[in-house]
Amino acid sequence: MKIIQTALFTIFSIFILALPLASQAELGGNLASINQEQKTFGSTLSSSTQTGYTIYTQTINPGLVIKEYLTTNGNVFAITWKGPNLPNFQVVLGAYYSNYLTALQNNPRAIFVQDDNIVIESGGVMGGYLGRAYLPKQFPAGMTPANLQ
Amino acid sequence: MLFLREFLTVVLRGLLITFFAIILVACGGGSSSSSSSDSDQSSLPSVNLSANSISINVGAGTAKNVNTPYVSVTICQPGTNICKTVDNILLDTGSTGLRVLASTITSLQLTQVVVNYAPILECASFISGDAWGPVKLADVKMSAEVASSIPIQILADPSYSTIPSACGGSQNTQISTTLKTNGILGVGLFINDNQSYFNCVPTALNNCRISLSLAPNLQVQNPVAAFPVNNNGVILKLPSVGATGAKLVTGSLTFGIDTQTNNSSVGSYVIPTNSSGLFTTIFNNTTFNSSFIDSGSNGLYFPSGSLSSVLVDCSSFTLSGFYCPAVTQSYMASLTLKNNVLSNVSFSAANAKTLVANGNYAYNNITGQIGGNLFDWGLPFFFGKSVFIGITGRTSSAGIGPYYAYTN
């Protein structure tokens, strides 16, 4: 019985310890976290300044394009992705990765999270995946989800 | 202390029960059925229907999940008669390439694909999670068709049980833990799968972190595209099912389009896709320009939009994400054909909770939520139709791939 309890405690500890590791970046992150991400992925990075926000675009083998939207204060308030494969969600969703995992467990075929604080949409077929994740309360004035490319 | 230990035990028991429940729910699509006496249908092997056709079964199978199409595939050591026929493989038009659980082919010795003296490991993306494992060469046989010495992916290979963070890491996102089928046969629109590949030896430059640019012919291949003949696509034909579903239906997977007398596309509605395999559906006065046809999806998934007061979420743990309208809804959607001609498709959205209570496995009226401009024509679309999958760059009377086509 004690052995079982010890094993369970170990499982429990791993469970607890794993959570903070997921909170390193990215949605809700900043430019520094994007630069770190670029090193992690070995991606190319470019930026495009729009009225009220900036888009940082990474392209990663085998052709995945990830766009991150930053406010003028430097906060990532939205991410879109499109490509033959899916992004590393633990990295790009940062603190919101747990929301993704919950959605995955609820319905593994169609990832759909929508509440006041966070929206995550992911779908498509191998070769043509796409999706987006954003923080509705942090959109700059005049910007709407329809403006996400 | 005693209190703490008891408390922990209670908490842990709760966590473990939750964990188990999640695994049950996560098998391939989320709507696990509580049906009890289906052990007679737990194996659903294909039979050969002709030299270029095998049977498809939609039934309980190993997953015991709704709308799961199963086929059998024979896997051989290249150029030999040392083979293993693996049943209960998910037939998936939404992916490319064959992936099998290592435990199903332990009798085979397959050679690994090696680049820069290091074995190639793949991380393939599925919406339902990551597929991690080595790439090996095998002959892949179905009916009289053989794809010789093509790269396939081995899942849950005990030699590669450490999964790098670049492929989901230790987080429980691996499809091998939730699949509940023996593998996935991807017969989608593409020749190679175009996913992430890694060299993982410590001295290699990329070291399991940055994906390689791997030549297309070394990537996991669509077996159909590698057949000597009948290699321009496939046809999935499934019978109609009634409004309350069916326990088991059997259809056919035919290789080639307009190459034999049994695979004509004459009279079909042809849906050309963009190079990513996506096309446009118009539904409820909304344009969904990221539409796809996917036998690996167990429902029709689309945003409820202005219908959200009718298409309410089932809101039960095992059916979260599916629609549970109070009464069955009948809808019409338009698919974009060649020259922007529209073709109308009717479908129904029944109450998913009521449906699964029937204990059946094939339903044409299960629907659920998805976001953005996505419209996922999953397995319900296939019932009562022949659906054609035209491989990229390959020609038939229907046109040059990538395209989907269908006849009623």
Side-chain angles (χ1 to χ4, degrees), chain B residues 32-102:
Chain B
S32 56
S33 165
S34 58
S35 184
S36 54
S37 60
D38 297 298
S39 54
D40 54 322
Q41 290 181 6
S42 62
S43 186
L44 294 171
S46 297
V47 297
N48 290 341
L49 301 174
S50 71
N52 66 327
S53 181
I54 62 173
S55 63
I56 304 168
N57 293 296
V58 182
T62 46
K64 296 189 168 43
N65 204 338
V66 300
N67 288 343
T68 307
Y70 295 96
V71 292
S72 303
V73 178
T74 299
I75 302 166
C76 307
Q77 291 179 211
T80 75
N81 290 322
I82 306 168
C83 300
K84 177 76 193 295
T85 297
V86 182
D87 299 328
N88 296 305
I89 288 184
L90 173 69
L91 176 63
D92 184 19
T93 65
S95 70
T96 295
L98 177 63
R99 298 161 215 285
V100 293
L101 292 173

Side-chain angles (χ1 to χ4, degrees), chain B residues 8 16 18 30 35 38 48 57 64 86 91 93 103 112 155 163 171 191 197 208 215 227 243 249 259 270 321 328 379:
Chain B
L8 268 178
L16 287 175
T18 307
S35 184
D38 297 298
N48 290 341
N57 293 296
K64 296 189 168 43
V86 182
L91 176 63
T93 65
S103 57
Q112 287 197 242
L155 304 180
I163 302 166
Q171 298 280 348
I191 294 174
Y197 290 90
C208 266
F227 291 157
V249 303
T259 56
V270 180
T328 298
L379 200 72

Side-chain angles (χ1 to χ4, degrees), chain A residues 1-2 5 8-9 11-12 15 18-19 22 38-42 60-63 82 84-88 90 97 100-101 104-112 114 121-132, chain B residues 5 8-9 11-12 15-16 22 25-26 29-30 94-96 99 124-128 165-166 171 173 190 193-196 209-213 276 278 290 292 294 296-297 301 320-322 369-372 374 376:
Chain A
M1 192 60 194
K2 181 149 193 242
Q5 282 192 349
L8 288 176
F9 187 80
I11 291 168
F12 188 64
F15 193 76
L19 293 178
Q38 187 199 0
K39 286 181 190 165
T40 302
F41 292 147
I60 309 168
N61 269 339
K82 189 171 190 176
N85 62 332
L86 291 164
N88 183 329
Q90 189 172 13
Y97 183 58
Y100 164 80
L101 288 179
L104 185 68
Q105 287 156 359
N106 283 343
N107 188 345
R109 181 51 226 176
I111 305 300
F112 186 73
Q114 187 170 44
E121 302 167 343
S122 182
V125 285
M126 184 178 283
Y129 287 120
L130 68 160
R132 59 188 186 177
Chain B
R5 192 175 290 177
L8 268 178
T9 307
V11 168
L12 289 166
L15 272 175
L16 287 175
I22 285 167
V25 166
S95 70
T96 295
R99 298 161 215 285
S125 296
F126 289 83
I127 293 295
S128 49
S165 59
Q171 298 280 348
T173 60
F190 307 104
D193 72 352
N194 208 16
Q195 296 296 292
S196 296
R209 185 169 61 84
I210 298 173
S211 60
L212 305 165
S213 296
S276 301
L278 303 172
S290 299
F292 51 95
D294 178 15
S297 292
Y301 292 97
S320 176
F322 289 93
Q369 299 195 68
I370 201 169
L374 294 156
D376 177 355

